[in-house]
Amino acid sequence: MTVRDIIDKRALEAIVARTKRSSARAEFLLERICLDLEERLETHTRKFASKALISPWSDHDGFQFLDADTFSDSVWLDERFVVQPESFELVVDAVNLHRINDVPGMLVQYKRALKPDGLFIACVPGGDTLTELRQSLTHAESELYGGVHPRVLPFMDVRDAGALLQRAGFALPVADVDSVVVRYDTMFDLMLDIRAMGETSPLADRPKHLSTAKLFERAAIHYAENFSDPDGRVRATFSFVWMSGWAPDASQQKPLKPGSATHSLAEALKDGNQEG
């Protein structure tokens, strides 16, 4: 493990393996992602002949429409996308990038794997994900112990997503956010779902000792007091950053160079005022 690593890959491997063995996986958010991915790809008239899917959950039935080559352990564990350059017309990363220590380096590998004018699209948990839980745990731990430990993975901001795509060399980068609020009876029901999703914390700096029942009881009280509806059920926010970019190609539309416009904004405004 290097000093920059925030993800404990051994812990991550155990989390994913345990989840895949379980007969009670919570997949409703993954199903939402699959449907959204299918809709987004349908907006492209182009048909992608060669496709790659990178996800720990690539075996999920919702991804079958892609008919893609699947990559899992070698990417999210080793952070190496070992394929020949310009191998695919489409590369999809589904709920995987938040498990990567070197996200900029991973994006560069994805771009290298794309044919010219190939499309990269990814879905990653966004910055507002589990904000209610994070706030409640932070409040409880600070109140009880006078300090806090990292307990939830850091999630990506949509502005960071666009900047990362540009840094990796993608053309025409786009990033947007899809959010959904799910309601639970208690904070503990939410935590059971997080475990069933395979999204418990693999942070290298997570507390290695078992957290006390007192901490979670205090967090649950704060959660209910601050993030509940009139019927007593609590809210949990899940946001997903969708990011996409194209491997550069001479055929792509280019932005106009500064100073190349044939009409100035002042002239356009003047003409509009004269018409009025």
Side-chain angles (χ1 to χ4, degrees):
M1 183 182 298
T2 66
V3 293
R4 70 179 179 181
D5 288 347
I6 64 170
I7 308 296
D8 180 343
K9 291 305 179 80
R10 185 173 297 178
L12 176 59
E13 184 176 20
I15 290 168
V16 172
R18 181 192 66 215
T19 306
K20 289 186 173 182
R21 290 194 303 267
S22 173
S23 59
R25 289 165 62 173
E27 298 182 321
F28 62 95
L29 291 176
L30 188 59
E31 290 166 1
R32 179 188 180 95
I33 290 168
C34 291
L35 290 172
D36 201 345
L37 174 64
E38 188 170 10
E39 290 177 3
R40 287 168 184 267
L41 291 176
E42 284 176 351
T43 64
H44 299 281
T45 57
R46 174 178 168 186
K47 300 300 181 184
F48 301 98
S50 49
K51 295 163 285 191
L53 169 64
I54 299 94
S55 176
W57 319 117
S58 57
D59 59 341
H60 187 267
D61 289 345
F63 289 119
Q64 288 186 357
F65 77 93
L66 273 177
D67 190 24
D69 294 335
T70 57
F71 300 83
S72 53
D73 295 7
S74 64
V75 179
W76 56 266
L77 282 180
D78 302 332
E79 303 195 7
R80 293 185 299 112
F81 192 34
V82 186
V83 297
Q84 291 296 316
E86 302 185 4
S87 293
F88 299 101
E89 294 181 2
L90 173 67
V91 171
V92 176
D93 183 298
V95 205
N96 174 69
L97 277 177
H98 65 302
R99 305 166 181 270
I100 300 296
N101 285 305
D102 182 13
V103 174
M106 195 76 253
L107 292 176
V108 169
Q109 292 185 63
Y110 288 155
K111 185 177 75 70
R112 187 183 300 127
L114 283 170
K115 296 178 183 290
D117 201 33
L119 175 63
F120 168 71
I121 185 168
C123 180
V124 60
D128 289 337
T129 295
L130 298 176
T131 180
E132 303 90 350
L133 178 62
R134 287 182 283 145
Q135 291 180 54
S136 298
L137 288 171
T138 297
H139 175 86
E141 192 167 19
S142 179
E143 184 179 81
L144 291 173
Y145 308 119
V148 297
H149 291 88
R151 295 179 180 275
V152 180
L153 283 172
F155 297 123
M156 189 179 295
D157 183 84
V158 66
R159 292 166 295 185
D160 295 333
L164 285 166
L165 289 168
Q166 287 185 316
R167 177 178 172 183
F170 285 98
L172 309 173
V174 175
D176 64 87
V177 179
D178 171 53
S179 295
V180 60
V181 175
V182 181
R183 302 200 316 143
Y184 291 91
D185 289 337
T186 68
M187 184 193 81
F188 298 105
D189 295 294
L190 164 63
M191 295 177 68
L192 287 173
D193 253 9
I194 292 171
R195 181 179 177 86
M197 294 174 191
E199 293 294 344
T200 51
S201 177
L203 284 172
D205 292 335
R206 70 193 184 283
K208 300 301 189 293
H209 57 274
L210 290 175
S211 298
T212 64
K214 188 176 182 180
L215 169 66
F216 290 114
E217 289 169 359
R218 186 67 193 91
I221 292 171
H222 183 271
Y223 204 127
E225 289 176 346
N226 292 273
F227 305 110
S228 64
D229 290 331
D231 62 0
R233 304 191 78 198
V234 299
R235 302 181 299 275
T237 299
F238 295 90
S239 68
F240 300 99
V241 172
W242 284 90
M243 50 198 297
S244 62
W246 298 81
D249 184 71
S251 65
Q252 292 166 348
Q253 182 179 359
K254 302 293 192 299
L256 292 175
K257 295 181 180 179
S260 63
T262 57
H263 297 282
S264 70
L265 176 60
E267 290 174 344
L269 292 174
K270 181 179 178 182
D271 291 343
N273 290 333
Q274 289 175 348
E275 291 174 3

